[in-house]
Amino acid sequence: MNIKALEQEYLQNLNEFYDADEAKAIFNLSVTSILKITQSKLLTQKNKALSVEELNALTEVLNHLKTGKPIQQVLGETVFYGLTFKINEHVLIPRPETEELVDWILREVKNLKKSFLDVGTGSGCIPVTVKKHLPNLDVSALDISANALKVAEANAKFNKTEINFIEADILNYPDNKKYDVIVSNPPYIRQLEKADMHKNVLAYEPHAALFVSDENPLIFYDAISDFALKNLNPNGYLFFEINEYLWAETLQILIDKRFKNIELKKDMQGKDRMILARTNP
């Protein structure tokens, strides 16, 4: 079988979960990862016959994908902001919106040489990327999940970054350390929003990192804001990735707690997805 024929098999088998463009992108990622070739080389080798070993490996990937398992988990890794991160069922798959948040952080705090904390770190994509680009920062990362922290620690080591990892629940974490930057992409999806989500996200990604109750959906924003008021240095930075449907309510939390210079930012799709706030001088 050649690559072109296998592509048709992928597209036919994945149409239950993805549209044609998504399925083609997943096929391309599968082939370039398994065959260790570039996208441009793939385009010129569609008629290349696959060896038995190559075909078996790509068929195994397809068999996993047919269950709805995300390609990043099947391959065990993904690329975030140009860096490779290991991924498994214990951590969220990093999203493009979070890359936009990291880009904003790097632009805002590029001249800082002090302390940084990521709350709810998951795979560690935020602190590892920030540390890689701003090596003078003292970077810490917190998560309640020991399994997630194992993945984050592996990613820090793989990307040659030194991160201080903390296993703790931010809803009950009495930390006296002072930080210059606190960042969080906490759980923010309400139960009522599940119906609009892709079924493979619901089946394969950790619900504790995704969902909050309909009754108190901003519980983490409230708690992390209080933590920031106590633990941020003067003129400190607080960054959040937020639920696009709850931007006004999230903004109000920060206003009520008297943060300064609050800025709401849209992502590339025009959705209100990020907030920056500052503490008093």
Side-chain angles (χ1 to χ4, degrees):
M1 180 181 284
N2 63 20
I3 291 176
K4 189 173 183 179
L6 184 63
E7 180 179 20
Q8 290 306 309
E9 190 170 328
Y10 263 68
L11 296 182
Q12 290 169 7
N13 280 278
L14 297 181
N15 62 8
E16 177 185 349
F17 300 102
Y18 306 101
D19 63 33
D21 288 340
E22 288 178 309
K24 189 168 184 177
I26 288 169
F27 170 76
N28 290 343
L29 180 57
S30 300
V31 174
T32 55
S33 297
I34 297 299
L35 301 189
K36 306 299 182 188
I37 60 174
T38 62
Q39 289 279 355
S40 57
K41 196 168 185 179
L42 170 60
L43 292 174
T44 63
Q45 293 190 350
K46 287 292 182 76
N47 293 317
K48 175 183 180 292
L50 294 162
S51 69
V52 173
E53 292 78 11
E54 291 170 340
L55 181 58
N56 286 343
L58 286 163
T59 300
E60 185 178 356
V61 169
L62 178 57
N63 288 335
H64 284 295
L65 291 170
K66 287 193 295 186
T67 69
K69 192 171 186 177
I71 181 63
Q72 296 91 339
Q73 288 186 5
V74 175
L75 298 175
E77 63 182 35
T78 192
V79 174
F80 179 89
Y81 213 83
L83 299 174
T84 298
F85 286 84
K86 305 299 180 183
I87 296 296
N88 65 20
E89 70 277 10
H90 298 300
V91 299
L92 291 184
I93 298 166
R95 267 54 173 192
E97 299 82 22
T98 308
E99 285 187 308
E100 293 182 58
L101 175 64
V102 166
D103 189 66
W104 192 19
I105 293 166
L106 292 175
R107 284 186 282 109
E108 288 287 338
V109 308
K110 61 184 177 182
N111 295 319
L112 284 179
K113 297 180 180 179
K114 296 184 180 179
S115 55
F116 177 103
L117 174 67
D118 178 41
V119 178
T121 198
S123 67
C125 62
I126 293 176
V128 169
T129 305
V130 168
K131 181 68 173 179
K132 195 73 176 176
H133 287 82
L134 301 174
N136 290 324
L137 274 181
D138 174 20
V139 177
S140 297
L142 179 151
D143 205 289
I144 194 173
S145 167
N147 287 324
L149 287 173
K150 288 179 184 176
V151 177
E153 287 169 354
N155 283 323
K157 184 176 181 180
F158 181 80
N159 285 289
K160 298 180 172 60
T161 54
E162 290 189 13
I163 311 288
N164 173 41
F165 289 103
I166 305 162
E167 184 180 343
D169 181 355
I170 194 60
L171 300 180
N172 182 26
Y173 179 51
D175 182 16
N176 294 319
K177 184 175 178 180
K178 294 292 185 179
Y179 301 93
D180 295 286
V181 185
I182 293 176
V183 178
S184 187
N185 176 20
Y188 58 66
I189 301 172
R190 294 168 292 179
Q191 300 293 322
L192 60 85
E193 295 172 52
K194 278 185 177 180
D196 299 324
M197 296 183 69
H198 209 299
K199 65 175 72 173
N200 62 352
V201 173
L202 295 174
Y204 289 99
E205 296 200 61
H207 284 204
L210 287 167
F211 296 109
V212 287
S213 70
D214 294 338
E215 295 75 27
N216 192 9
L218 299 177
I219 181 173
F220 289 102
Y221 294 92
D222 192 42
I224 295 167
S225 297
D226 283 339
F227 179 87
L229 283 176
K230 187 174 67 173
N231 293 84
L232 273 177
N233 285 321
N235 284 317
Y237 294 78
L238 175 62
F239 289 92
F240 281 129
E241 185 171 323
I242 66 172
N243 186 324
E244 63 183 286
Y245 304 114
L246 298 173
W247 67 265
E249 293 88 340
T250 310
L251 195 66
Q252 194 61 52
I253 286 175
L254 297 170
I255 292 170
D256 291 344
K257 295 182 189 297
R258 302 189 184 282
F259 281 88
K260 305 296 181 184
N261 299 51
I262 302 170
E263 184 178 349
L264 180 67
K265 193 174 182 66
K266 296 181 185 296
D267 64 14
M268 284 190 290
Q269 296 181 316
K271 299 175 181 179
D272 296 300
R273 292 298 304 275
M274 294 162 272
I275 286 182
L276 163 61
R278 304 290 298 275
T279 49
N280 287 311

